[in-house]
Amino acid sequence: KIILIPRLLRVPEVRYGANEMAIARFSIAVDRRFKREAQPEADFFNCTAFGKTGQVVEKYLHKGTKVVIDIPVKWE
């Protein structure tokens, strides 16, 4: 399991696709826990949320909002 606690970089872009499914696109910045010289202090990721999760992103998240992203990982 990977858990990130980033901040949103800008207002999420939301559009509705087939069957009125919400598609929310947003970017996040995750502060690095351990910083070394000449390395960035944060990592940046582009994210996409679909369906009800996309609707929640549209309704509640805005630039600067701190969020929790829980990513299940299956190791084989």
Side-chain angles (χ1 to χ4, degrees):
K1 180 185 269 197
I2 298 171
I3 299 174
L4 302 174
I5 305 175
R7 291 191 184 274
L8 265 66
L9 294 176
R10 58 183 162 268
V11 176
E13 297 174 19
V14 181
R15 61 185 175 88
Y16 286 85
N19 300 325
E20 297 299 313
M21 181 174 72
I23 302 169
R25 294 177 189 229
F26 54 97
S27 298
I28 58 172
V30 181
D31 292 330
R32 288 193 175 185
R33 191 171 200 176
F34 303 103
K35 300 170 188 155
R36 296 183 185 167
E37 286 186 41
Q39 286 191 340
E41 294 184 16
D43 292 306
F44 301 92
F45 301 96
N46 293 320
C47 303
T48 306
F50 300 94
K52 289 190 178 196
T53 306
Q55 291 173 343
V56 169
V57 168
E58 178 181 31
K59 187 173 183 179
Y60 296 107
L61 303 185
H62 57 275
K63 180 179 177 179
T65 302
K66 201 171 216 182
V67 297
V68 175
I69 299 176
D70 184 355
I71 307 167
V73 177
K74 183 176 179 181
W75 299 98
E76 293 185 24

